[in-house]
Structure formats: C-alpha cells, structure tokens
Amino acid sequence: MHIDVLEKKWSQLALGGIGVLVLMILFSAVFQGMHAPSHVETIDSAKLHLSEEFAEDNLGLSIDDQGRYWVRMVAGRYNFFPGFIEVPAQTQITFRWVSMDVLHGVHIPMTNMSTMIVPGYVAEVTTVFPHAGEYPVLCNEYCGMGHDYMWSNIRVVPKHEWQAKHPEQGAQS
Ligand code: CUA
C-alpha cells in the first residue's frame, strides 16, 4: 500500500502524541496516585429521608468513635442541605454527598472538592481545608432553571478556635 510521505509523517506525529498522553496517564496513576473516582456505593435516592445515614437529623458534621470527621450532605434542586456548616481547618474531613433528585455537582473553590453527585450513588471525597475562612459550595452541573442559585456555605474555623469551642472532641491531627 502506498502512503504519501507527508501523510506518513502526520500519522507518526499523531501516534507519537497519543503515546505521550498514554505515558502521562500511566505516570500520574503509578507515581502520583491520581485515579479516576472509584468509590462506587449505591443508595435509593427516593428514600434518603428514610435511610439511616441521610435522614435529616443526621446531616452535617459528625465525629465517629475513632475521631474521624464526616460531613453528610444532600443535594436537591436548588440547594445543598444543610445550607450552612462549620468545620475545623487543617483537619481531614470526609464528605459524603447524595442527590435527592437529578444530577448535581459540587465544587468548593480552592480545595480538591469537585465531584459529580449522581442520583442513586454516594459521592465520597476526603479533603483538608488548610486555611480558615468562608467557602462557597457551588453546584457545577446544570440541574435546571435554578442551577445558578444553587449554593451553600462552609465556614472553616481555625483549628485552635475549634478545639477551644469543642474541647470534648480532643486533639485530632
Ligand atoms: Cu444543582 Cu446545578
């Protein structure tokens, strides 16, 4: 089969480019620990209020027996529930998100928090807020007419202030 010289060069260039990208993906996966979200956990979105974990009085921040911080939040058109939470800075916190209706996303600027919230699944992201301050929680998947207004707030309190306020929680690193 005859292949034009120029055509051959372009296909080599294209294949070379693909090769570089594959190597970059392998490098980041093997050496930098970057993986596609793999936490697959299902939940019945229509029965969240009846579920043990995402019942209304179970939402927000909680600390388990091992001193781990958990935040459970429900996304629904057009808000995140609870609409406001307070958490300590420099503390590892695992967020668990569920949707009560359609596809939503959650993005907290200046953190690694950016995930889709797919109905029927639990999205889990562990993060640390290095700095105290007020952070917006924004929906970043188009979910309907009120999408632009779907947001809530997180206040990140300096760690020493948090410990002074909640001495019963002890020192957690
Ligand atoms: Cu929820 Cu956009």
Side-chain angles (χ1 to χ4, degrees), residues 23-167:
L23 286 178
M24 281 165 68
I25 292 171
L26 288 176
F27 179 82
S28 62
V30 175
F31 297 108
Q32 297 181 321
M34 289 191 201
H35 306 288
S38 57
H39 180 82
V40 177
E41 187 183 335
T42 54
I43 191 162
D44 186 346
S45 284
K47 292 188 182 141
L48 291 178
H49 58 298
L50 304 174
S51 77
E52 275 192 18
E53 189 179 355
F54 292 96
E56 197 173 348
D57 25 339
N58 218 15
L59 300 180
L61 181 71
S62 64
I63 297 144
D64 70 13
D65 324 334
Q66 280 128 52
R68 292 174 64 193
Y69 285 62
W70 298 87
V71 171
R72 293 184 176 82
M73 286 185 86
V74 173
R77 293 190 289 179
Y78 294 103
N79 222 324
F80 292 99
F81 305 94
F84 173 77
I85 57 166
E86 246 183 22
V87 298
Q90 290 137 37
T91 304
Q92 188 172 304
I93 303 167
T94 301
F95 283 79
R96 285 168 62 76
W97 307 90
V98 287
S99 165
M100 65 162 86
D101 41 39
V102 298
L103 176 70
H104 298 278
V106 57
H107 174 55
I108 305 180
M110 295 164 289
T111 71
N112 69 339
M113 181 68 69
S114 181
T115 185
M116 279 200 204
I117 308 174
V118 185
Y121 293 88
V122 180
E124 194 177 292
V125 177
T126 299
T127 194
V128 173
F129 294 94
H131 307 293
E134 304 279 338
Y135 291 76
V137 177
L138 308 168
C139 181
N140 66 357
E141 291 285 343
Y142 183 73
C143 52
M145 295 295 280
H147 164 73
D148 288 357
Y149 304 98
M150 181 166 171
W151 51 272
S152 69
N153 281 96
I154 293 184
R155 178 179 297 145
V156 180
V157 179
K159 202 169 177 182
H160 58 272
E161 214 174 280
W162 182 272
Q163 281 163 353
K165 251 167 107 177
H166 306 274

